[in-house]
Amino acid sequence: MGGALFMRHGGEMSGAFLAVDWGTSNRRVYRIEDARVVATERDDRGASRVARSDYPTEIAAIRARLGDLPMLLAGMVGSTIGWRTAPYAAVPADLSTIATTLDRIDERTAIVPGVAQHGERADVMRGEEVQLLGAVAAGLVPADALLCQPGTHCKWARIERGAIVDFETAMTGEIFALLRKHSILAPELTGEIVDGPAFRAGVTEGARRELASSLFRIRARGITGAAQPDAAAFASGLLIGADAAVRIGGSPIHVLAESPLGDLYLSAITILGGQAMLIDSEAAFVAGISKLWEYAQ
Amino acid sequence: MGGALFMRHGGEMSGAFLAVDWGTSNRRVYRIEDARVVATERDDRGASRVARSDYPTEIAAIRARLGDLPMLLAGMVGSTIGWRTAPYAAVPADLSTIATTLDRIDERTAIVPGVAQHGERADVMRGEEVQLLGAVAAGLVPADALLCQPGTHCKWARIERGAIVDFETAMTGEIFALLRKHSILAPELTGEIVDGPAFRAGVTEGARRELASSLFRIRARGITGAAQPDAAAFASGLLIGADAAVRIGGSPIHVLAESPLGDLYLSAITILGGQAMLIDSEAAFVAGISKLWEYAQ
C-alpha cells in the first residue's frame, strides 16, 4: 500500500472524503472537501441498531447518497457492538499517532481507533478522541486544556501539547437514565430539565457527593409534603454537580456539547466556582477528522 | 374504646398477639406470648404482591394459621402500596409516642405508623422504627446510639434517650440493583458478593465518593484487560463504602441486619476506621413490637 492509506481513484476530487461520527444510538455523516462540510445527514442508524453483517450495505448506501468517496468511520462502529473491534491508541495520543493506527477495512474505508488508558486508571473512549483533538486542531481550545464531553458516559480529558494525556469517564448520564426509567423515583422524574432554581439546588447538594441519600430525599420530600423543587431538574443537578465538583481546579473547562446539555454543565461548573466555556462540538469533529484524513494521505 | 386499643376477648391468652413485619417483597409473621416468639413464618407475600382489597383475606388466613388473636402490623402494609396509608409519627419518636398513633383498622387489628422527619432533611421510614427502637428496648444497643439498617433503602438513625431524633435514608441497595439489572455493567456484575479483596478495594475506592467514574472503571478494566477484581463485589464495595464513609465519627455503629449483608457493612465500616457491631435484627423487632403491644393495652 505504500505510505498512503487511501489510494486515489481516477475522477475523485482531491481532499474529498466521507466521515461518519457513528454513535451508539445515532450517526452523523459528512461529505468533506478540503476540510469544509459540503453535505451532511443525521439519522438514528447508530451501532446498536445495525447488525454486524449489514455494515457493507450501510456503507454502500451512504456512498450512493453522498458520493463514491473514501470513508473514515469514528465511534462505536469500531466497538464490540459495531462492525469490527478496532484497536485503541494508548495515551498520550494525538491526531498523528491515531492516524498511524487506523483500522483499514479496505483500501477506501477505515475505522478510527479509540484511545485507551491502561493500569490503575484504566479508561477507554471511542469517537470522543476526534472531537477532543479536533477542538485543538481547529484552534477552539488551547493545546493545553481540560475538556469535558457530557453525555451517557461523560468524558473529562486533559490535553497537553495537543495530545490526550489523561482522561476519566463518569457514568453520569447513564445513572440518571437508570433512575428516570427504573428506580422508585421514576414517577417523580418526568419533568423537563431546565437550568432553574431546582437544577441549581441539585448542583450545590450534589457537590457534597452523598448521592444515594440526596436522591432518596426527593422521595421523602414528596411523601412528607415538604417544598419540592422540580424533581427531575434537581436530580439532574445532583448528578452533574457530583461529577463536576471534583474536576474544578485552576484550569478553565472547555465543554464540548450541544445545548441544552452543554448549558447545564456550564451552569453547574460556574455555580461550583469553576470557569467554563462551550465549544462547538460539530466543528471540533470536522476539524479532527479532516486532520486525520490529511495525515492518512 | 376506653384507653385500651385492643379489647380482650373471652378465652384469649393475656399478652398473646400476632405481629407482622410486612415488607415490600417479603413478610414475617410472629405469634408472640409474653414477649416471646412461640411460632413464626416467613413468605414472599410482601406488600408489592398483595392487592389492597385482599388484605382482609390475608389477615384472616394468618389468624387461621397462627391463632385468632389481635394483630399489630408494621412496615409497608401501612404505605401507599399497602392496605391503607397509616400516619407517620414525627421525630423525636420513641415507642410510647408511636403506640399513641397506631392506625386502628378494627378493634383487634392495627397498623404501626412510620416515622417522618420534616423540613430540609425530610425523610421517612416504615417498619424500621420497630427494629431500631426495639434494639434499645431489648438492651441490644444503648439508649444513645448510631444505628444502621442496610438494605434496598439503607437507614442511618441516631437514637437519643431511646428516641429516634435524626435519620437519613440512602438508596444504596437500589442503586446497586439498578446497575446489576439494567446498566452497561450488568454483564459484569453477576458474581457473588463476598467480603474479599475485591469488596475491600471497592470500599476504599468508594470512600472517595466519585461513584460515576469509579463504576465506569469496571468496564474500562475489562476492555483494556487490566487486572480486574471480581466486579460485583467491587461494585458492592464502592456503593457501601461511599455510603459508610460519611457516617463514621466518634460513635460506634450498630448494624441491624442478617448475614451476609450485615457482615459486608461491618467490614466496610471497619476498613474505613469506624467501629461496628452486628445486632440481631429479629430479636430487635420482637422486642420493639412487644413493647408497642404492651403500651397499647
Side-chain angles (χ1 to χ4, degrees), chain A residues 172-208:
Chain A
T172 314
E174 179 171 355
I175 294 174
F176 184 65
L178 290 174
L179 292 166
R180 215 173 190 185
K181 204 164 169 186
H182 300 291
S183 82
I184 196 172
L185 304 177
E188 311 191 58
L189 301 185
T190 53
E192 204 191 342
I193 296 149
V194 295
D195 178 18
F199 176 79
R200 292 170 195 193
V203 168
T204 307
E205 168 80 13
R208 295 176 55 226

Side-chain angles (χ1 to χ4, degrees), chain A residues 168 174 184 208-209 217, chain B residues 168 174 184 208 217:
Chain A
E168 185 162 65
E174 179 171 355
I184 196 172
R208 295 176 55 226
R209 295 187 285 137
R217 199 153 297 133
Chain B
E168 185 162 65
E174 180 171 352
I184 197 172
R208 295 175 57 225
R217 199 154 296 133

Side-chain angles (χ1 to χ4, degrees), chain A:
Chain A
M1 296 282 303
L5 279 163
F6 295 89
M7 308 300 283
R8 294 282 164 77
H9 286 252
E12 254 173 36
M13 189 178 301
S14 161
F17 70 106
L18 303 180
V20 187
D21 189 359
W22 214 315
T24 300
S25 312
N26 301 297
R27 73 178 172 193
R28 182 97 189 226
V29 187
Y30 302 88
R31 178 179 170 134
I32 297 175
E33 295 178 10
D34 297 319
R36 287 186 317 108
V37 177
V38 295
T40 183
E41 55 176 45
R42 186 176 200 157
D43 60 31
D44 65 357
R45 301 284 297 156
S48 65
R49 295 200 182 89
V50 176
R52 190 172 298 266
S53 55
D54 288 345
Y55 277 93
T57 316
E58 291 287 331
I59 296 294
I62 292 170
R63 285 197 168 111
R65 290 195 303 272
L66 286 172
D68 189 25
L69 292 168
M71 290 179 80
L72 271 182
L73 317 175
M76 296 305 281
V77 61
S79 76
T80 51
I81 64 159
W83 192 353
R84 71 183 198 191
T85 311
Y88 288 101
V91 290
D94 63 16
L95 287 170
S96 69
T97 57
I98 289 173
T100 63
T101 42
L102 289 180
D103 182 30
R104 292 160 39 206
I105 304 281
D106 60 40
E107 60 180 24
R108 303 178 68 218
T109 318
I111 298 178
V112 177
V115 174
Q117 186 163 281
H118 295 274
E120 267 300 293
R121 294 177 42 77
D123 215 322
V124 287
M125 64 170 69
R126 271 208 191 278
E128 292 92 346
E129 67 286 347
V130 181
Q131 271 188 24
L132 291 167
L133 296 170
V136 179
L140 297 169
V141 308
D144 295 270
L146 177 57
L147 273 63
C148 167
Q149 282 166 302
T152 303
H153 295 159
C154 179
K155 305 287 179 191
W156 296 86
R158 184 159 291 285
I159 309 247
E160 285 176 15
R161 294 186 217 167
I164 299 166
V165 293
D166 182 74
F167 66 101
E168 185 162 65
T169 305
M171 290 175 53
T172 314
E174 179 171 355
I175 294 174
F176 184 65
L178 290 174
L179 292 166
R180 215 173 190 185
K181 204 164 169 186
H182 300 291
S183 82
I184 196 172
L185 304 177
E188 311 191 58
L189 301 185
T190 53
E192 204 191 342
I193 296 149
V194 295
D195 178 18
F199 176 79
R200 292 170 195 193
V203 168
T204 307
E205 168 80 13
R208 295 176 55 226
R209 295 187 285 137
E210 297 180 20
L211 216 53
S213 0
S214 296
L215 284 167
F216 188 79
R217 199 153 297 133
I218 291 171
R219 180 167 162 77
R221 282 207 201 98
I223 293 174
T224 60
Q228 175 84 308
D230 176 73
F234 179 78
S236 170
L238 274 180
L239 283 154
I240 294 176
D243 189 9
V246 296
R247 320 291 172 179
I248 291 167
S251 318
I253 298 171
H254 303 265
V255 179
L256 284 161
E258 296 178 6
S259 291
L261 188 58
D263 297 319
L264 293 174
Y265 269 77
L266 235 64
S267 173
I269 292 164
T270 308
I271 288 166
L272 298 175
Q275 192 193 337
M277 54 216 74
L278 201 59
I279 304 297
D280 182 337
S281 55
E282 191 184 318
F285 177 82
V286 171
I289 204 84
S290 297
K291 202 78 187 169
L292 280 175
W293 168 251
E294 195 184 307
Y295 283 128
Q297 298 313 299

